[in-house]
Amino acid sequence: MREFKIFLVLVIFTGIVYWGVEPYAHSQMNEHTSAVNFDFKAEDINQAKVELEKAMNSDKTGAEKEKDIEFAKMQLKDYEQLWANVDKIASLKADVSNGKEAFELNCASCHRASFDGFNDADDSISAYGIIYPDLSTAGAIYDDKFLMAISLNPALAMKNHKKYNEQNPHPMLTAFLEEDGSISEENAQSVADIVAYLKSIGNKALLSEQEKLAKEINASKMSDEDKQKAIELSKHRLVFEHACARCHDVKYDKLFAKINANDLAAYMGSIPPDLSMVIRAKGEEYLNKFLNDTQKQLAGTAMPRVGLNAHSQEEVISYLSAVGDSKKAERESLGIKIMIYFAVMAVLAFLWKKAIWKDLH
């Protein structure tokens, strides 16, 4: 009985550490942030208010504190104006045909939309050697209002406005705003039409690529079950490729960034990391928050906000989980079996000990 009590104490102590102390320690070590929020307007304005409060309550003094407060006030004002402009655009009735013309006029000199035949972008128009992305699937994977916001003020929408400002303009140049930051009726309509056009081709472009990959997989010699798994993974991977793989490697899946590492370092300030193991290093909750709002989760990071919609973010997390933690389901199912095994062995060991030592007591 004494040994059983010792074992029971050990189990209880281990349980408290595993389910109590460790999660509590992690919760205290990482800054508490609000939940994932795809209402980017509310997210940005609320976060700007938090930053202003932090600046006002900081331990800094004098001119340095005043400077921080002034920047935080300006940031809040900028976000309120940006999202007011987006609301104005979103309230308009968009026209896809006009959007295609507006895309050709305003975007096609830098961006491709290869699915719809826009392939004449001038690659010499680049920033830090980085060629602007093909926007064929943008309407399917990015949030609608994020696309509107990034069309107006890319630095603010992607939350890297501390790096890019009037003295150091963002590489993505736009000219939809007036000097006072407002937007005219004509330009608001153009942005609404462009986003409507991107949405009109986005899902078709994504579906076309999915069907092409599925056809290749179905032609392979894999079993039917493996084919289904491979097709499912290819859907997740496709969204990751469009959203993240211009900058990030996933070497476990032999997926490599499309942009030269040195160019990325010049553009971002450092080479973006390989994401093969990020799901195990950071966890799903952290990644969800980080993708949703990089600065809220890791203030000062060079990584811009991605602006994915909820479904695309799920696809990216699913892909990283499948590649970086492919044995998770197997590990979790095996864990309970091992616990049962140890419990049974503990009981047998106790009974065996009792039988051997019974004559000595």
Side-chain angles (χ1 to χ4, degrees):
M1 183 56 70
R2 180 170 174 269
E3 288 79 3
F4 180 72
K5 290 179 179 177
I6 293 172
F7 174 73
L8 195 61
V9 168
L10 184 63
V11 168
I12 293 173
F13 179 77
T14 304
I16 291 173
V17 171
Y18 185 79
W19 282 293
V21 176
E22 188 175 347
Y24 176 75
H26 278 290
S27 72
Q28 296 303 305
M29 289 167 65
N30 295 317
E31 186 176 0
H32 291 193
T33 55
S34 55
V36 171
N37 186 358
F38 290 95
D39 181 349
F40 292 131
K41 174 185 177 181
E43 178 68 30
D44 288 354
I45 292 176
N46 289 338
Q47 186 62 24
K49 290 178 179 176
V50 169
E51 295 298 327
L52 176 57
E53 190 176 339
K54 281 183 181 177
M56 296 177 74
N57 296 325
S58 77
D59 295 331
K60 294 180 182 177
T61 58
E64 189 179 11
K65 183 171 183 174
E66 288 300 319
K67 183 180 177 182
D68 287 351
I69 292 174
E70 191 60 32
F71 179 82
K73 286 180 177 177
M74 184 179 68
Q75 180 176 257
L76 175 58
K77 182 182 175 184
D78 288 345
Y79 273 121
E80 288 174 337
Q81 185 166 40
L82 172 68
W83 288 109
N85 288 333
V86 170
D87 284 344
K88 180 177 179 178
I89 295 167
S91 70
L92 299 173
K93 185 178 180 181
D95 185 289
V96 172
S97 298
N98 290 341
K100 184 172 182 177
E101 292 178 8
F103 179 88
E104 185 171 14
L105 180 66
N106 295 284
C107 314
S109 58
C110 299
H111 290 282
R112 290 179 172 79
S114 54
F115 177 76
D116 202 30
F118 286 108
N119 288 304
D120 297 329
D122 184 354
D123 291 342
S124 66
I125 305 173
S126 61
Y128 305 98
I130 294 174
I131 298 170
Y132 296 98
D134 187 322
L135 299 183
S136 295
T137 60
I141 65 175
Y142 296 109
D143 179 83
D144 298 357
K145 290 191 174 181
F146 175 77
L147 287 175
M148 296 172 187
I150 199 173
S151 299
L152 305 181
N153 189 330
L156 206 57
M158 291 194 285
K159 308 197 89 167
N160 50 12
H161 52 287
K162 291 182 180 178
K163 178 178 180 180
Y164 298 110
N165 45 46
E166 291 182 359
Q167 291 73 38
N168 181 31
H170 193 278
M172 178 180 165
L173 302 175
T174 65
F176 291 113
L177 295 179
E178 307 297 321
E179 287 188 6
D180 63 357
S182 63
I183 187 167
S184 67
E185 295 293 334
E186 182 182 1
N187 284 345
Q189 187 64 59
S190 292
V191 175
D193 292 344
I194 289 171
V195 172
Y197 165 65
L198 291 176
K199 284 180 63 64
S200 75
I201 65 169
N203 282 324
K204 295 176 186 173
L206 202 59
L207 184 61
S208 173
E209 292 189 51
Q210 287 173 353
E211 289 175 345
K212 183 180 177 183
L213 290 170
K215 188 175 179 180
E216 292 174 0
I217 292 168
N218 283 325
S220 70
K221 295 181 179 179
M222 287 191 285
S223 67
D224 289 345
E225 184 180 351
D226 287 343
K227 284 179 181 176
Q228 285 304 313
K229 289 179 180 177
I231 289 172
E232 193 64 25
L233 179 61
S234 72
K235 293 178 181 176
H236 303 326
R237 174 174 163 145
L238 196 56
V239 175
F240 180 90
E241 282 190 66
H242 284 288
C244 315
R246 296 183 75 241
C247 302
H248 290 282
D249 293 337
V250 181
K251 292 177 181 172
Y252 277 22
D253 197 30
K254 298 179 181 177
L255 182 63
F256 299 97
K258 296 173 182 174
I259 301 174
N260 179 278
N262 292 329
D263 292 337
L264 280 172
Y267 174 54
M268 304 287 292
S270 61
I271 298 175
D274 181 340
L275 299 183
S276 296
M277 290 292 289
V278 70
I279 192 73
R280 298 192 68 174
K282 298 294 186 182
E284 188 174 328
E285 182 182 358
Y286 179 96
L287 284 182
N288 258 314
K289 287 185 176 181
F290 188 63
L291 283 172
N292 187 237
D293 188 341
T294 52
Q295 293 299 325
K296 182 176 71 175
Q297 192 66 19
L298 186 61
T301 179
M303 178 172 164
R305 170 197 271 160
V306 187
L308 297 174
N309 57 38
H311 177 68
S312 296
Q313 186 157 310
E314 279 182 23
E315 295 276 37
V316 168
I317 299 290
S318 296
Y319 171 69
L320 292 173
S321 298
V323 174
D325 199 7
S326 59
K327 300 293 183 182
K328 182 179 179 182
E330 184 180 342
R331 188 176 66 248
E332 289 179 345
S333 66
L334 188 61
I336 187 65
K337 293 175 184 174
I338 291 175
M339 294 297 289
I340 293 172
Y341 170 80
F342 277 118
V344 170
M345 291 303 294
V347 171
L348 292 176
F350 173 73
L351 295 175
W352 177 74
K353 179 262 176 189
K354 191 175 179 181
I356 295 295
W357 290 81
K358 64 181 180 181
D359 295 334
L360 299 179
H361 292 289

